[in-house]
């Protein structure tokens, strides 16, 4: 009588996609695009960019937290000698199969820049500053 229970538990474990050890590839969604490698990631938001240092390494449940930087943009041309503002940031979220949820927090002020839902292989829908 234990075999049916064991088979049920094993099949239920297979329903939840296993979290990757490191997130790679192109991810896109409303207002954010992310290109991840084993050593980091580049992000492009509406009127801003970001960088994750050290890669995105989810735990067994798909949760991750990574440090990096956020660079707010502005409308109009960028001068050659212009020094952009650089803000420390924490990028945290979850990866479940081909879907990532991502929360961006500026660590110097503890300000949340929002939560984003990204899909692996999807094109980002990002608006440029004008």
């Amino acid at each position: 009588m234990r075999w049916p229970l064991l088979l049920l538990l094993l099949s239920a474990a297979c329903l939840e996609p296993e979290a990757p050890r490191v997130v790679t590839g192109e991810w896109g969604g409303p207002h954010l695009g992310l290109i991840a490698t084993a050593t980091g990631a580049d992000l492009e938001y509406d009127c801003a960019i970001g960088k994750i240092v050290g890669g995105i390494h989810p735990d067994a449940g798909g949760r991750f937290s990574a440090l990096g930087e956020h660079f707010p943009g502005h409308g109009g041309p960028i001068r050659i000698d212009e020094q952009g503002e650089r803000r420390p940031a924490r990028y945290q979220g979850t990866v479940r199969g081909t879907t990532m949820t991502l929360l961006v927090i500026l660590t110097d002020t503890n300000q949340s820049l929002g939560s984003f839902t990204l899909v692996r292989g999807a094109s980002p829908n990002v608006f440029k500053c004008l």
Side-chain angles (χ1 to χ4, degrees):
M1 294 294 167
R2 291 184 185 175
W3 284 107
L5 179 59
L6 180 59
L7 289 174
L8 180 63
L9 291 173
L10 287 174
S11 64
C14 293
L15 294 177
E16 183 68 33
E18 187 175 317
R21 291 179 188 231
V22 63
V23 173
T24 59
E26 295 183 17
W27 299 72
H31 311 291
L32 180 64
L34 182 146
I35 300 174
T37 68
T39 59
D42 292 314
L43 298 92
E44 183 177 9
Y45 311 83
D46 294 346
C47 204
I49 60 172
K51 185 169 226 31
I52 294 175
V53 181
I56 301 171
H57 302 278
D59 64 14
R63 295 173 299 275
F64 65 88
S65 181
L67 296 176
E69 297 175 316
H70 175 79
F71 303 88
H74 61 77
I78 299 172
R79 295 188 327 263
I80 293 174
D81 62 342
E82 183 176 340
Q83 295 290 328
E85 182 182 1
R86 176 180 288 182
R87 306 282 301 277
R90 181 173 63 249
Y91 298 90
Q92 64 188 48
T94 58
V95 176
R96 299 259 195 291
T98 60
T99 302
M100 175 191 301
T101 56
L102 180 67
L103 178 66
V104 182
I105 300 168
L106 298 178
T107 58
D108 57 348
T109 61
N110 207 32
Q111 175 189 2
S112 171
L113 298 181
S115 180
F116 303 90
T117 301
L118 306 174
V119 175
R120 183 179 174 89
S123 296
N125 188 5
V126 177
F127 298 97
K128 298 293 185 181
C129 294
L130 298 176

